[in-house]
Amino acid sequence: MCSDSILYSSYDLPCGVTVRNRLVKSAMEESMSSAGKLPGSALYSLYRYWAHGNLGMVITGNVMVDSAAMTGPGGVALEKHTPIESFERWAKIIKSNGALAVMQINHPGRQVFKAMKGKALAPSAIPLNMGKHSKLFAEPTEMTCEDIHDVCNRFVETAKQAERAGFDGVEIHAAHGYLLTQFLSPLTNERQDEWGGSIINRARLLINIVSQIRAVCDKKFIVMVKLNSADFQRGGFDFNDACEVVSRLEALGVDIVELSGGSYEAPAMQGQTRDDRTLAREAYFLEFAKTLESKTNIPLMTTGGIKRASVAQEVVEQGCAFVGMASALAFTPDLAKKWQQDWTYSGVIPNCGWKDKTLSSLANMSMVRRQLRRLGNDLTTIRRPAPLWSLILDMVHRKKMTKRDVGA
Ligand SMILES: Cc1cc2nc3c(=O)[nH]c(=O)nc-3n(C[C@H](O)[C@H](O)[C@H](O)COP(=O)(O)O)c2cc1C
């Protein structure tokens, strides 16, 4: 029994809300919305598993702030005029057994699949470089100042809607190469105006979004930010930049910074870098979190590569308030309960070792998404799914969803 582990102790957030334990389900895009880009029966079934998994907090997969700019097929969007009944039901299910419900909100910027036929906006018109896979992505258009203000308003309106629907908070996605990361990184932001250049300018959009959400939502509404510790690409957003951004977020009363890393081009969130730096085999970003922890009072959470209780405990002992887990909770949604009965129980994180790193990374995602779909259909999970078959099934599912969403 390990219920007396620090992992199962409560934590009071700066906004005054108490989280019952330190184990958090991190965001995973489920790609299984109902028609109209709304949550529906498949998502409700899936989140029931996590609701009963004895987690402190459950963060939804990224919800788009603009339904014309989606990260992928089968995504969820919540805009100013979206009816919120289906979101109310989603929040209620997540909270039904004591976990807090946080909605992750996001804008893809240039990371938009061409097949989605949506808007691909970016701080500068620099396309994604995914080698031979680049042609799958739309060519981005450089944003005008009006576009930037529109995106800021959209984040704020989505947060207000999430609050109305009963979510306890939002997590602003400023990691993994999406729009806010594109502003933060000098590799993707070559602007000469107040939105580019110094880190203060590159962080301006994120800071404006956070301060406006803080101003319009209740004092007890949780505001989290998911931030890259670095881009893991030469010349990109680096750890010093991350420290500067965190100090600004602290001044705004952000409740938790979730540390991750990378982008589609350099998927460090899966443990792979593109600048020859090596990450730990488990808890990839813990070293960054430890350094950051000495410089800030914001509660930190680190996500990436965590599947064992001993590693999760080390994360908290080393100074992180929370332990984020994604893949392991797709394979074992009740992992937090299992650890209470068997401390040595190990979760699963798929690791496909194909030579083509991009395909390998896609296969890893496909294996996880296959588990999510199985849970959404109330089927048992498969502990060792075949990567190629998972990739094929995923492609079929995404094609079907793309057809439904854009009529392609
Ligand atoms: C299928 C899948 C979908 C994901 N979708 C999101 C997402 O919507 N937002 C996000 O911040 N991270 C997303 N991630 C990244 C995870 O939150 C996490 O940072 C990453 O998988 C590393 O954690 P893990 O090793 O515990 O899986 C996704 C990961 C997977 C596998």
Side-chain angles (χ1 to χ4, degrees), residues 281-324:
R281 284 168 59 86
E282 296 180 61
Y284 311 140
F285 305 106
L286 181 56
E287 285 307 311
F288 291 99
K290 272 158 59 180
T291 312
L292 193 55
E293 191 268 333
S294 61
K295 300 171 192 270
T296 180
N297 290 318
I298 296 191
L300 298 177
M301 162 166 146
T302 184
T303 302
I306 300 164
K307 58 184 178 187
R308 293 191 295 142
S310 54
V311 176
Q313 171 139 325
E314 192 193 338
V315 164
V316 176
E317 284 172 352
Q318 298 284 342
C320 285
F322 296 98
V323 178

Side-chain angles (χ1 to χ4, degrees), residues 82-334:
T82 308
I84 60 166
E85 292 74 16
S86 57
F87 290 89
E88 286 171 339
R89 176 132 188 238
W90 197 13
K92 212 168 169 184
I93 288 169
I94 297 174
K95 291 161 65 159
S96 61
N97 203 28
L100 294 171
V102 171
M103 181 187 289
Q104 187 184 64
I105 57 178
N106 191 21
H107 189 295
R110 66 175 188 162
Q111 288 188 163
V112 168
F113 291 99
K114 219 180 252 170
M116 294 294 296
K117 296 183 177 164
K119 286 186 214 164
L121 297 175
S124 305
I126 302 169
L128 265 178
N129 180 2
M130 302 277 290
K132 61 181 187 226
H133 306 286
S134 304
K135 57 181 183 303
L136 293 175
F137 293 89
E139 292 268 331
T141 314
E142 177 171 317
M143 290 169 82
T144 61
C145 287
E146 208 182 357
D147 292 329
I148 297 173
H149 289 296
D150 176 61
V151 162
C152 182
N153 289 337
R154 284 177 179 278
F155 271 94
V156 178
E157 290 300 336
T158 302
K160 278 161 64 179
Q161 287 274 69
E163 184 180 33
R164 264 183 226 123
F167 281 84
D168 298 293
V170 287
E171 176 176 63
I172 297 151
H173 198 350
H176 303 172
Y178 294 113
L179 183 69
L180 298 178
T181 332
Q182 291 157 34
F183 270 89
L184 290 170
S185 172
L187 293 177
T188 42
N189 181 349
E190 293 181 343
R191 296 181 76 95
Q192 307 287 326
D193 57 9
E194 76 264 39
W195 307 100
S198 67
I199 183 61
I200 315 253
N201 284 354
R202 284 181 275 131
R204 193 178 302 281
L205 178 55
L206 170 64
I207 297 299
N208 286 358
I209 290 169
V210 171
S211 54
Q212 289 182 37
I213 291 176
R214 264 273 166 263
V216 298
C217 291
D218 189 84
K219 275 202 212 75
K220 286 204 153 191
F221 191 63
I222 301 167
V223 178
M224 298 178 61
V225 173
K226 186 160 183 171
L227 188 69
N228 276 353
S229 43
D231 281 352
F232 298 94
Q233 286 180 288
R234 285 187 194 86
F237 178 81
D238 63 20
F239 188 57
N240 290 334
D241 289 334
C243 292
E244 182 66 39
V245 174
V246 169
S247 85
R248 275 157 204 279
L249 295 177
E250 184 174 354
L252 298 173
V254 163
D255 290 292
I256 303 174
V257 166
E258 177 183 2
L259 271 186
S260 188
S263 62
Y264 286 10
E265 287 177 346
M269 59 286 204
Q270 292 186 5
Q272 298 176 24
T273 64
R274 293 282 186 272
D275 61 0
D276 300 330
R277 270 191 286 179
T278 45
L279 294 166
R281 284 168 59 86
E282 296 180 61
Y284 311 140
F285 305 106
L286 181 56
E287 285 307 311
F288 291 99
K290 272 158 59 180
T291 312
L292 193 55
E293 191 268 333
S294 61
K295 300 171 192 270
T296 180
N297 290 318
I298 296 191
L300 298 177
M301 162 166 146
T302 184
T303 302
I306 300 164
K307 58 184 178 187
R308 293 191 295 142
S310 54
V311 176
Q313 171 139 325
E314 192 193 338
V315 164
V316 176
E317 284 172 352
Q318 298 284 342
C320 285
F322 296 98
V323 178
M325 289 179 288
S327 309
L329 288 171
F331 285 84
T332 318
D334 59 348

